[in-house]
Amino acid sequence: MPTPRPATEATIWYADDLGAEFLRARFGDFAYDLHTHDTACFALITGGAIRIRMKGGEFVAREGDLYAIDADEPHAGWPVDDAGWSQRTIYVDLDGLHRRLFQKERPAAALRGPVIRDAQLAQTFLAVHASYEQSASKLLRDEHYLAFSRRLFERHISQSDVESETGRETRAVERARDFLDARLDRRVSLAEIASASGLPPFRIYRAFERETGMTPHGYQRQARIRAALDLIRRGLPLAEVANVAGFADQAHFTRSFRARMGVTPGAYREARLAAA
């Protein structure tokens, strides 16, 4: 008789002084749908293994690996085997982290990920995570996140002053994204998106997927989650959040949210309230 997969358990909390969200989770009967984050995501795999799909292909992150992606990078993940995996995650704005560390704006840069194998960086990451989970003194927390940030920026972020060229298709995709963001509670057609972007339907579809790593429909689903996150942070009731963010009903909202965040809207709301 096959051994059942372990149940999923996840805890999330918010650290106001760092402006970051923390997650500690054990994932068994769970898989992340394709999604993005509005901040960088750092996930230390503390047990098992996860298969991750990104625009560049698929790869496996195992215990001790630090999975690192910048904001707006689409990705999905599922267990490699029936044992599942566990992780500790920090969602943090890299620009804000850079300002804290260097007291100046962050230049154009890219994370050298998505899998970072650096034992010292992993150790400092774990120290940051544990110090916030255990409510350590602010001085100790500061020391840990400064140690982590310094090694991250010195070893694993490529600095570049070269700005990417913005062509017609890039501007069209920006217009398409703005159009979708303003209509989260509506069902829109590809023809409407194309009209707003200024490109024919097939061309905007292809350009949109190339620029964002998601189809327009996938982007709209993710945009609804982002809107829901913002509304929850502002203290709106969950039923109102579901309606304003464009979900069909509360059950649809809960399923979609958990599939992308790993926790329910209620658990996320409690974490934000606890930090207030």
Side-chain angles (χ1 to χ4, degrees), residues 54-71:
M54 294 181 63
K55 188 163 54 177
E58 291 186 6
F59 58 92
V60 173
R62 304 184 183 278
E63 183 174 353
D65 290 343
L66 184 65
Y67 172 50
I69 58 168
D70 216 333

Side-chain angles (χ1 to χ4, degrees), residues 197-208:
S197 74
L199 289 180
F202 177 73
R203 189 174 173 189
I204 188 59
Y205 182 92
R206 186 173 57 185
F208 196 100

